[in-house]
Amino acid sequence: DCFTWLRQGWSIFVGNLGVWIGSTAVLMVLLFAANLVPVFGQIAVSLLLPVFAGGIVCMCHHQQKGGQAEIADLFAGFQHNSGSLVIVGVIFATGIFGLAVIAFKIISGGAVGSVITGRLAGFGIALSAVMLASIAVFILTIPVIMATWFAPLLIFLHDMEPLPAMKASFAAGARNWMTMAVFGVMLVIALFIAMAPLLLGMTLDNTDSTPPT
């Protein structure tokens, strides 16, 4: 179940604390630097995330076998089945891009409706469009995430081809949907808690910088 996953993951993390913190810092710096490049940087991040996921799988596998993970293992996905891992990234990026287009279409329709109908009614239409787009993207994102969640592991450790690996990943997620749902909620809560100090700081900074009336 979800809590078993978390306990196993925690034991791996604390078993080699320095390496995991160091590899996380390296990965964050690389992803941040790539995102600074307009458009192409974001595309590169989407394509390479499964490759780095393969490296993380390698690190976990080493520790589960009684060995020691190294920061260099983070790049193991570039040396083993890198082409298949990139294909997973291409499919993932295509799916996310398609969802972004759907959301844009829905929000654009709401914006046009708001212009036609006037202020009050138009605001309601625009707000409904944003809510509908958010719900639609959230629902449609779930299958994309399920198909890519376990795919890097299956490709890196079991040498599966991209599409069979993604089908198997989706099937595994569907069979364990409750566990995945609980894990997803816990992940969102953890991310919110981690981001809360930054959001609070930005809010206070904007408040302090607002000129008095």
Side-chain angles (χ1 to χ4, degrees):
D1 57 23
C2 174
F3 299 103
T4 301
W5 291 357
L6 291 173
R7 284 195 299 269
Q8 292 174 345
W10 180 254
S11 65
I12 291 175
F13 175 71
V14 298
N16 205 346
L17 194 62
V19 169
W20 282 106
I21 293 176
S23 60
T24 301
V26 170
L27 181 59
M28 290 297 100
V29 169
L30 292 175
L31 295 181
F32 178 78
N35 275 307
L36 293 178
V37 181
V39 183
F40 295 104
Q42 297 175 357
I43 294 175
V45 168
S46 298
L47 298 183
L48 294 179
L49 276 178
V51 182
F52 284 114
I56 294 173
V57 167
C58 178
M59 296 173 68
C60 294
H61 186 64
H62 280 170
Q63 285 193 224
Q64 283 188 322
K65 293 297 183 180
Q68 287 294 321
E70 299 178 358
I71 294 179
D73 293 333
L74 182 65
F75 304 94
F78 291 91
Q79 303 168 354
H80 183 67
N81 292 336
S82 58
S84 296
L85 292 169
V86 169
I87 291 175
V88 172
V90 171
I91 297 174
F92 174 78
T94 303
I96 296 300
F97 177 76
L99 294 177
V101 171
I102 292 173
F104 177 77
K105 292 289 185 181
I106 296 174
I107 294 174
S108 297
V112 172
S114 66
V115 172
I116 295 175
T117 56
R119 288 186 179 180
L120 185 59
F123 175 76
I125 293 175
L127 181 61
S128 299
V130 172
M131 293 178 63
L132 180 60
S134 300
I135 294 172
V137 169
F138 175 75
I139 293 174
L140 295 175
T141 299
I142 293 175
V144 178
I145 294 176
M146 288 170 60
T148 55
W149 193 263
F150 299 108
L153 182 149
L154 296 172
I155 291 172
F156 188 86
L157 293 183
H158 301 285
D159 297 323
M160 291 183 66
E161 294 297 321
L163 289 180
M166 296 184 74
K167 290 179 181 178
S169 176
F170 181 85
R175 286 196 301 269
N176 298 277
W177 68 270
M178 180 60 73
T179 300
M180 296 289 288
V182 173
F183 181 77
V185 171
M186 295 182 68
L187 183 62
V188 170
I189 294 173
L191 290 174
F192 177 79
I193 294 173
M195 292 295 294
L198 175 62
L199 296 175
L200 180 61
M202 293 174 62
T203 302
L204 294 176
D205 181 68
N206 289 333
T207 302
D208 294 338
S209 60
T210 302
T213 55

